[in-house]
């Protein structure tokens, strides 16, 4: 081989050797150790470089593939480990400038022409150079080369490359930006840095940042964020250096630099003008992008300017930078360049960001601007306000937000245009888009809040009234008081004093009198204005703070006078217009005038009532001067409105009867208001009062009958102003259901039944609409009705409740009878609850029932035998799919009821209806899913009734055994026709609810001791007669196997055993008198247990349908095992112990084999672990040999190590794992535990992670955690704790390996820290060697808390804290010598919280609670340290010094800083005066300032508060 490499330099330069051979020779020369050549690496690199330079300078002709291979060769050399090792060893490798220049030229080709020839390799070579500091010096030494590279890289990236080029391009760009930022920071010539950035980098960097912010490429979020941050750092370090501040001052403030020579001004920079000129140039990006780039760049540049130069005294300078930057936006030149509407959004968003920066940094001080700067800022903001108000853009959310920021800066900027602002932004604005509507609501709220705080609300309302009365197309105006503005107005009114509220009332009243009432007759447009003003006045009146008896008398008198004026000058005139309308009149005019009149009448009546009740100074309004011709009666009952006769109301009611409008709704409220006032009087029980109450209640209900009959799917937002033809039915129904307690006592029976019918029909309609159209945002008929059913007050309205139950029963019975296959009269005679009569009237079918009691009196001579005999035969009710869906809908209505509040007869009635529904046979065409849903709903409701107060009433009608037989017979028959899989989740839910119901039924029999031997004897006899193989009831045999039927029999027999087992065990205790009954029940339990075992054997047989280990099978096996083991004589006491024991052992072997397959979800795994735990607690089944412990441990370890098992499943079953391990260890020997510890230590070996992966390591760590949670004593505890040093060492090595990975796997590190904390806590008395505890510090110091993503940080930080606290709390001897290590770990926690809680770089709002929780833990640790003052006295000053040193490096957000300071104050409590003097003398300047501020706050707040507390302590 040495001969091959001889004369290598000549061969590489020879023209006779082919290029293929040269490349092969160069490649092997590089990698071979046998090629000995002086300075070989430099020679080979120079050869490749010279070849490429000669090619690109046209001095050498090469094929394209040769050029590519040369680039590949250089790339391989630059990225080789050999080169890196050489550079680390100190050898120098020089890269010539010619190579760097051709790299730059190739990148320039990509940016100019898009040529991608060899660009991937070129970028990779550039990446190799920049990534290696020893090679990157070729760029950093020649700064212009790096600037050129950066410029071309940015321009290439702005060409939006895709595919394989994008990733390396952005990686090279990140490296180049990083190098340039370092150079920038070392630059001593600010003009050079400024010139490089503005001349070469400003434009491409701004374009690139815009594209990155817009998500043009699918880059990793971290890379995109880093690139944007680097671009901002480059721009800040070039265009906004601290050294350029004098130049900016001179340019923007016309202040000459101090010490500048005369005539030197021409050489000074004009930095802002330079930046703006470069920004305003064209041609550096596509025309379609330019406007967006400029808009986004303006906000960025201003933000960077503020970050660099904003300090006390520089507010004017920071403002002066704003107008030039704003001048770059197109909206600043609207007179010269009209802007299309579609382009407003971009510039308005930029303007919002500019104004937001001003507001956030307190640049604008109103007083300072007026007194010192001649209102320079105010004039600029005033021009902006004129611009925005003069060009309304209601479709753009940013337009509203800009106005809101201007309002927050100074409301006077908007006040001259306040009317136009209200018109364009609120009253006349057609806002459809949701974001724009929210921005509009925020602006309106800010307007109300501002003028409320200024106590100028009447001024604002005056402008609102002026806008409302302007000539306009009223029909096209949106509703004045939608939900958002109405809420803002309500908040405003609650803050206003009564005098200003009354001023507003008078303003509205005067405006109505002067501008509306004189022109209202016959004018539709004026009627619409009147309605807008009325809705505004209604909102003001209804939400004004009420007066009370302590209100000053002048205010109360003014309120009374204003109320009289509203009534006489506004309400009566409006009602008078409706009294005798001229001709039929326009329908719209009549509707709007009636809406206005009744809306104000309703508001006046409500306010009058409230004032009469709360304010003793307020007197009833005199009716003198009432409506002309009013013949007022002398009744003592309250009128709808003072001064308006009943005949007039009849005319008004006749007018509004033709409209489903606001007026009708308000008239209903008037009647309800009169009912409330009547009920509040002393004589409300008089005949006249009762008659009036009944009439008002009937009229309120009758008003909306036709509308409710038509129905509507519309939703209502609850605002009075939005009541219209579409929303009136919902508003009317809301009014009715909200006042049921007032209305129902005075409704006739027909009206009550009508209410019940509407309630049932609307709740069903609402459920259908919810299923089809989704969720409506406001109130709907269905939502309101369902809320009534779910309300606990519904049963209190007894008449309505009973009528609804009767209506529901009738519809339910009708639905069931629609599927009758026999004579309907005969069926109703046999099953009387299927009649459509009132369920409370049960005399026709309950007359022959006797009372049931503990002695077993006959529960019923006709009911139970009829139902049971029909079910045994074939219940003649077969429901088609449509009928079944109807029944399911009714069952869902029943689910919404408070079933515990049913009357006694209804309870029994509904129970029997549910039982009949569950027993009804679905037609063959019905889908199985629908049938299963009906069954689940029926038995869930039966269970709810069984848990209710009236549960024992059912047993007066049917024996418990008859219910048991009815349920199982119907289900067994239904299961034969179901097309359902035995493992289907819907069928499993049926089994679960049926088992729960049967268990509750039997528990009730046991608790009441109702003929237990008789009832349970019949149940067990029924189970014995069933065909277990075919799943058929007694007396029937199935030709085919029914896995569903077998599962039903297993569930039912298991339920019998679960109820009887504990009861029999209790009766066998001493001093039990009823020995005969106990023996009989024990025999029944034995028989049921054997039947359940037979069913379990068949259901769990391999190869049969449903024979896999399901949660049902495992749960049944566990229950039977628990019942058998709980008996005094164990399994043998229940008979046939050998077959049953063999069955359980077979199941246990299957469980161990199939445990990994069961771990896919939590329920089967939980049931399997529970079964294994019971197995270990049964002496008869516990294997005598030691293999069972090891088999279970290995099976569990395999599950824990399986990467396919979800982590959430393991966390969910951890309690069951703990129980299993506790029972395993109780039954295990010392050798078993010693073997388990060896197995765990082998799993923690470092080679295990390399061979089997991290899940195997995690499984071993989880096993340690489970063993630590088990009670250990004696020799077993010694075996475990003797292995503790090895465990800690293994955990240390595993943690070190895991923390080397990027990113750090919290799934490994987290459990390691958990186990470490457990070992430290429980090993307080057993870990004798302090060195083993000290190893824990190494684990804690290895965990990298700095670069973790938020979820991982939130997971690992508390665990590190808990482990550290365990050392502090439980190992005081170790702490005597390990305090420095402890403080190192603790300071890492403190610093990580400070960096996570940085004010400007914090992640999102969702990350702040996580950081605050971590800061709370740090505060707690400070308190624990302070509690052990003697040990930490020497280290206290250093703890404070480290805190303030880190604090002056980062700007921590106030919430996090406050938490940390509370802890540091506790440490300062331990400092003596000499410590404080030492810190002030030794800290560096920045940290000294931070300490001075911290100590002053400590003295001012903490020590003073502690001193004040001490005065009250003993």
């Amino acid at each position: 081989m040495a001969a091959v490499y001889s004369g290598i330099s000549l061969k590489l330069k020879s023209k006779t050797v082919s290029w293929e051979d040269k490349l092969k020779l160069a490649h092997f020369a590089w990698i071979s150790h046998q090629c000995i050549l002086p300075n070989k690496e430099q020679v080979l690199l120079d050869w490749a470089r010279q070849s490429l330079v000669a090619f690109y300078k046209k001095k050498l002709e090469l094929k394209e593939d040769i050029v590519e291979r040369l680039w590949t060769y250089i790339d391989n050399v630059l990225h080789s480990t050999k080169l890196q090792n050489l550079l680390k060893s100190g050898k120098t490798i020089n890269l010539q400038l010619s190579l760097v220049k051709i790299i730059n030229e190739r990148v320039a080709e990509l940016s100019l022409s898009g040529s991608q020839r060899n660009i991937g390799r070129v970028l990779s070579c550039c990446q190799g150079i920049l990534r290696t500091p020893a090679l990157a010096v070729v760029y950093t030494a020649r700064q212009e080369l790096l600037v050129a590279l950066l410029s071309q890289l940015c321009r290439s990236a702005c060409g939006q490359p895709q595919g394989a080029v994008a990733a390396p391009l952005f990686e090279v760009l990140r490296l180049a930006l990083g190098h340039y930022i370092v150079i920038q920071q070392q630059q001593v010539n600010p003009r050079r840095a400024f010139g490089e950035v503005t001349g070469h980098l400003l434009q491409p960097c701004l374009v690139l940042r815009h594209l990155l912010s817009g998500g043009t490429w699918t880059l990793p979020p971290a890379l995109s964020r880093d690139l944007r941050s680097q671009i901002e750092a480059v721009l800040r370090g070039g265009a906004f250096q601290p050294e350029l501040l004098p130049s900016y001052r001179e340019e923007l403030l016309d202040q000459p630099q101090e010490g500048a020579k005369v005539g030197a001004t021409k050489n000074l920079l004009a930095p802002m003008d330079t930046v703006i000129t470069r920004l305003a140039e064209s041609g550096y990006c596509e025309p379609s992008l330019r406007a967006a780039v400029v808009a986004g760049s303006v906000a960025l540049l201003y933000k960077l300017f503020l970050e660099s130069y904003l300090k006390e005294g520089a507010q004017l300078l920071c403002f002066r930078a704003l107008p030039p930057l704003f001048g770059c936006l197109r909206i600043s030149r609207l007179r010269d360049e009209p802007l299309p509407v579609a382009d407003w959004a971009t510039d308005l968003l930029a303007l919002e960001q500019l104004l937001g920066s001003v507001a956030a940094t307190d640049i604008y001080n109103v007083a300072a601007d007026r007194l010192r700067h001649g209102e320079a800022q105010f004039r600029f903001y005033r021009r902006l306000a004129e611009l925005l108000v003069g060009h309304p853009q209601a479709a753009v959310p940013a337009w509203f937000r800009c106005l809101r920021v201007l309002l927050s800066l100074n409301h006077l900027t908007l006040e001259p245009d306040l009317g136009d602002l209200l018109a364009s932004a609120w009253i006349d604005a057609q806002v459809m888009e949701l974001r724009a509507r929210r921005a509009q609501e925020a602006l309106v709220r800010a307007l109300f809040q501002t003028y409320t705080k200024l106590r100028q609300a009447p001024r604002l309302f005056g402008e609102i009234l002026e806008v409302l009365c302007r000539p306009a197309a009223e029909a096209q105006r949106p509703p004045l008081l939608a939900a958002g503005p109405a809420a803002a107005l309500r908040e405003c009114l609650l803050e206003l004093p009564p005098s200003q509220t009354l001023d507003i009332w008078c303003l509205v009243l005067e405006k109505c009198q002067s501008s509306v009432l004189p022109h209202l007759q016959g004018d539709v447009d004026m009627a619409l204005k009147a309605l807008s003003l009325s809705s505004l006045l209604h909102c003001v009146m209804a939400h004004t703070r009420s007066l009370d008896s302590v209100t000053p008398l002048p205010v109360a008198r003014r309120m009374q006078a204003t109320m009289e004026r509203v009534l006489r000058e506004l309400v009566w005139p409006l009602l008078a217009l409706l009294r005798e309308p001229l001709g039929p009149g326009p329908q719209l005019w009549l509707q709007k005038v009636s809406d206005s009149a009744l809306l104000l009448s309703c508001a006046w009546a409500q306010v009058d009532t409230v004032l009469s009740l709360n304010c003793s100074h307020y007197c009833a309004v005199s009716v003198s001067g009432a409506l002309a011709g009013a013949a007022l009666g002398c009744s003592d009952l309250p009128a709808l409105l003072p001064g308006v006769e009943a005949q007039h109301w009849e005319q008004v009611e006749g007018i509004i009867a033709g409209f489903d409008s606001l007026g009708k709704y308000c008239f209903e409220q008037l009647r309800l208001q009169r009912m409330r006032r009547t009920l509040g009087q002393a004589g409300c029980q008089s005949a006249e009062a009762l008659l009036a109450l009944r009439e008002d209640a009937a009229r309120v209900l009758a008003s909306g009958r036709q509308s409710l009959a038509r129905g509507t799917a519309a939703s209502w937002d609850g605002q009075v102003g939005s009541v219209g033809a579409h929303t009136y039915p919902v508003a009317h129904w809301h009014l009715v259901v909200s006042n049921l307690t007032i209305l129902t006592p005075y409704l006739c029976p027909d009206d009550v039944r009508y209410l019940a019918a509407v309630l049932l029909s609307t709740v069903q309609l609402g459920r259908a609409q919810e299923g089809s159209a989704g969720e409506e945002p406001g109130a709907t008929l269905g939502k309101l009705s369902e809320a009534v059913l779910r309300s606990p007050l519904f049963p209190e309205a007894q008449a309505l409740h009973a009528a609804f139950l009767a209506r529901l029963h009738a519809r339910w019975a009708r639905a069931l009878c629609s599927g009758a296959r026999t004579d309907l009269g005969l069926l109703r005679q046999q099953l009387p609850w299927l009649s459509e009569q009132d369920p409370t009237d049960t005399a026709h079918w309950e007359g022959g029932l006797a009372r049931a009691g503990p002695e077993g009196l006959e529960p019923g001579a006709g009911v139970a035998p009829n139902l049971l005999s029909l079910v045994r035969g074939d219940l003649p009710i077969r429901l088609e799919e449509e009928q079944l869906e109807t029944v399911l809908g009714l069952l869902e209505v029943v689910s919404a009821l408070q079933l515990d509040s049913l009357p006694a007869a209804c309870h029994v009635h509904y129970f029997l209806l549910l039982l009949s529904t569950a027993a009804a046979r679905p037609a063959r065409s019905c889908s199985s899913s629908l049938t299963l849903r009906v069954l689940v709903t029926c038995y869930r409701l039966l269970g709810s009734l069984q848990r209710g107060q009236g549960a024992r009433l059912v047993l007066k009608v049917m024996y418990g055994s008859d219910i048991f037989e009815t349920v199982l017979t119907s289900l067994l028959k239904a299961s034969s026709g179901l097309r359902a899989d035995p493992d289907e989740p819907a069928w499993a839910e049926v089994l679960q609810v049926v088992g729960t119901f049967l268990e509750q039924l039997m528990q009730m029999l046991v608790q009441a001791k109702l003929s237990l031997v008789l009832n349970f004897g019949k149940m067990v006899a029924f189970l014995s007669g069933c065909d277990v193989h075919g799943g058929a009831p007694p007396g029937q045999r199935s030709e085919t196997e029914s896995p569903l039927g077998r599962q039903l029999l297993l569930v039912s027999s298991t339920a019998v055993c679960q109820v009887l087992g504990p009861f029999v065990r209790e009766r066998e205790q001493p001093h039990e008198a009823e020995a005969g009954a106990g023996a009989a029940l024990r025999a029944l339990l034995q028989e049921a247990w054997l039947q359940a075992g037979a069913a379990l054997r068949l259901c769990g047989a391999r190869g049969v349908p449903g024979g896999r280990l399901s949660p049902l099978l495992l749960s049944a096996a566990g229950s039977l095992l628990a019942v058998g083991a709980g008996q005094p004589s164990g399994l043998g006491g229940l008979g046939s112990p050998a077959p049953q024991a063999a069955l359980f052992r077979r199941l246990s072997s299957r469980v161990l084999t199939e445990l990994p397959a069961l771990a896919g979800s939590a329920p089967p795994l939980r049931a399997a672990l529970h079964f294994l735990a019971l197995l270990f607690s049964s002496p008869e089944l516990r294997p005598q040999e030691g293999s069972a412990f090891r088999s279970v441990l290995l099976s569990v370890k395999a599950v824990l190590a399986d990467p396919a098992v979800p982590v959430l499943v393991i966390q969910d079953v951890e309690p069951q794992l703990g129980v299993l391990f506790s029972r395993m260890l109780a039954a295990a020997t010392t050798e078993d535990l010693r073997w388990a510890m060896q197995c765990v230590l082998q799993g923690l070996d470092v080679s295990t992670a390399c061979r089997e992966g991290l899940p195997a390591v995690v499984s071993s760590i989880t096993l340690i955690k489970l063993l630590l949670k088990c009670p250990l004593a004696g020799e077993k505890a010694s075996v475990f704790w003797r292995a503790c040093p090895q465990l800690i060492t293994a955990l240390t090595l595993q943690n070190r390996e895991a923390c080397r990975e990027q990113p750090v796997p919290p799934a490994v590190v987290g459990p390691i820290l958990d186990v470490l904390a457990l070992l430290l806590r429980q090993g307080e008395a057993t870990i004798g060697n302090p060195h083993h505890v000290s190893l824990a510090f190494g684990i804690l110091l290895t965990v990298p808390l700095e670069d973790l993503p938020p979820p991982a940080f939130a997971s690992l930080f508390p665990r590190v804290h808990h482990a550290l606290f365990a050392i502090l709390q439980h190992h005081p001897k170790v702490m005597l010598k390990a305090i420095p290590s402890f403080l190192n770990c603790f300071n890492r926690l403190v610093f990580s919280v400070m960096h996570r809680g940085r004010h400007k770089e914090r992640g999102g709002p969702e990350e702040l609670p996580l950081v605050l929780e971590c800061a709370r833990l740090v505060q707690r640790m400070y308190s624990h340290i302070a509690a052990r003052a003697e040990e930490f006295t020497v280290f206290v000053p250093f703890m404070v010094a480290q805190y303030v040193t880190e604090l002056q490096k980062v700007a921590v957000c106030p919430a996090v800083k406050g938490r940390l300071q509370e802890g540091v104050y506790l440490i300062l409590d331990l400092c003596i005066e000499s410590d404080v003097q030492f810190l002030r003398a030794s800290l560096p300047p920045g940290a000294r300032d931070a300490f001075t501020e911290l100590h002053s706050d400590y003295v001012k707040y903490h020590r003073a508060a502690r001193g004040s507390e001490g005065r009250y302590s003993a």
Side-chain angles (χ1 to χ4, degrees), residues 1293-1308:
L1293 297 175
Q1294 287 293 348
N1295 183 70
R1296 185 181 304 162
E1297 292 298 321
C1299 292
R1300 285 176 181 171
E1301 296 189 18
Q1302 292 298 329
V1304 174
V1308 179

Side-chain angles (χ1 to χ4, degrees), residues 95 167 219 584 635 911 1074 1282 1334 1403:
L95 289 180
L219 298 177
S635 173
F911 187 93
E1074 300 178 4
R1282 277 199 297 268
S1334 301

Side-chain angles (χ1 to χ4, degrees), residues 508-734:
V508 181
L509 180 59
E510 291 165 2
K511 182 61 68 174
C512 289
Q513 286 179 311
S514 61
S515 302
V516 176
L517 285 178
H519 316 288
L520 185 56
Q521 184 68 47
D523 190 338
V524 175
D525 192 64
M526 199 57 68
L528 291 168
K529 288 185 187 299
L531 182 57
S532 297
L533 292 172
S534 300
S535 63
L536 180 62
L537 183 56
H538 170 271
C539 189
V540 173
M541 293 177 68
H543 298 100
T544 300
R545 281 191 298 176
S546 177
L547 307 185
D548 52 28
S549 297
V550 298
T551 302
L553 186 59
V555 175
R557 286 177 176 172
R558 188 185 175 197
M559 172 66 79
Q560 176 143 1
T562 307
M563 285 288 289
E564 290 185 3
R565 285 190 62 196
V566 171
L567 181 64
R568 297 176 186 278
E569 300 174 15
L570 187 56
V571 178
W572 284 351
L574 285 172
L575 287 172
L577 289 172
L578 299 175
R579 186 173 186 185
E580 294 180 359
L582 301 176
Q587 292 296 307
L588 183 59
W589 181 87
L590 278 175
Q591 178 184 341
K592 298 306 175 184
V593 172
S594 61
D595 288 351
S596 303
L598 290 169
L599 180 62
L600 290 178
S601 301
C602 178
W604 193 95
Q606 289 177 351
V607 175
D608 182 65
T609 303
V610 172
L611 291 173
S612 300
L613 292 173
N614 296 332
C615 184
S616 59
H617 303 312
Y618 181 82
C619 304
V621 176
S622 172
V623 297
S624 60
L627 291 180
L632 301 175
C634 57
S635 173
D636 293 332
L637 296 178
L640 286 174
L641 201 67
V644 184
E645 63 175 349
Q647 184 181 357
H648 193 178
W649 287 122
E650 295 292 342
Q651 295 173 354
V652 173
E653 194 169 14
I655 292 172
I656 64 174
F659 313 118
D660 283 348
S661 63
L662 173 61
K664 186 184 289 188
Y665 174 76
C666 292
F667 199 65
E668 294 167 9
Q669 283 213 347
L670 269 176
R671 291 196 177 278
L672 274 168
Q673 186 65 31
R674 184 165 69 174
M675 290 183 70
R676 294 190 190 97
R677 297 186 70 171
T678 304
L679 290 170
Q681 289 184 342
C684 64
Q685 297 302 320
S686 66
E688 184 185 7
L690 290 175
L691 184 63
L693 288 169
R694 288 174 184 141
E695 181 183 0
D696 282 337
R699 291 203 176 197
V700 168
L701 207 59
S703 178
R705 271 183 185 261
Q706 294 182 354
S707 302
L708 283 178
R710 290 193 296 270
T712 180
S715 62
W716 181 48
D717 60 1
Q719 300 300 317
V720 174
S722 61
V723 176
H726 295 294
T727 56
Y728 168 75
V730 186
H732 165 75
W733 188 236
H734 178 270

